[in-house]
């Protein structure tokens, strides 16, 4: 997989692009808002194997000794996606990826030298 980083050195304007095989596909992600330590928003564009344009948002809320992390993705839902949604549960399809990503974030947050 080819990975490219460009744009700002950190925060708003950082761009990450990837281009891989059919399983990985091609896409681009750009940080559109960075409000440390509570929020980061990104524009996520998938180019292939299917085209999709979404917004991704991470919010962090202090809860005493812990921090609640929320990862959300939203965007337009074309007709074909609505049709697929009738037969395939999006939560079952990508929910495990969100859970794995949040688990990695937790591990890094709890062990910064990780």
């Amino acid at each position: 997989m080819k990975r490219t980083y460009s744009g700002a050195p950190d925060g708003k304007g950082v761009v990450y692009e990837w281009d891989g095989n059919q399983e990985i596909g091609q896409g681009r992600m750009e940080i559109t808002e960075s409000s440390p330590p509570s929020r980061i928003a990104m524009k996520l564009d998938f180019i292939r194997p299917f085209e999709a344009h979404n917004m991704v948002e991470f919010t962090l809320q202090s809860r005493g000794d812990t921090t609640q992390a929320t990862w959300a993705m939203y965007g337009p839902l074309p007709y074909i996606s609505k049709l697929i949604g009738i037969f395939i549960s999006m939560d079952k399809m990508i929910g495990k990826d969100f859970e794995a990503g949040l688990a990695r974030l937790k591990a890094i947050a709890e062990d910064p030298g990780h």
Side-chain angles (χ1 to χ4, degrees):
M1 178 169 77
K2 178 182 174 188
R3 297 176 185 192
T4 306
Y5 298 91
S6 61
D10 58 36
K12 185 176 178 177
V14 171
V15 176
Y16 167 67
E17 296 176 271
W18 70 93
D19 191 0
N21 62 21
Q22 198 58 20
E23 187 177 314
I24 295 169
Q26 180 181 8
R28 179 181 194 276
M29 194 172 358
E30 179 177 353
I31 295 176
T32 58
E33 183 181 332
S34 178
S35 304
S38 60
R39 183 171 185 272
I40 188 165
M42 296 174 275
K43 183 176 184 226
L44 175 60
D45 296 310
F46 295 103
I47 298 166
R48 64 175 173 75
F50 57 89
E51 185 175 351
H53 306 282
N54 296 289
M55 293 300 294
V56 175
E57 183 176 77
F58 290 92
T59 54
L60 304 168
Q61 293 180 311
S62 179
R63 303 269 191 226
D65 299 9
T66 64
T67 300
Q68 178 180 329
T70 304
W71 180 3
M73 184 169 76
Y74 52 92
L77 194 58
Y79 175 74
I80 191 69
S81 297
K82 290 178 187 175
L83 186 61
I84 290 170
I86 293 171
F87 302 102
I88 298 171
S89 165
M90 290 302 285
D91 187 47
K92 285 183 181 177
M93 189 167 85
I94 63 172
K96 64 182 180 283
D97 295 324
F98 276 67
E99 289 176 19
L102 288 170
R104 284 193 304 271
L105 177 63
K106 181 179 189 281
I108 291 168
E110 290 176 346
D111 180 13
H114 178 73

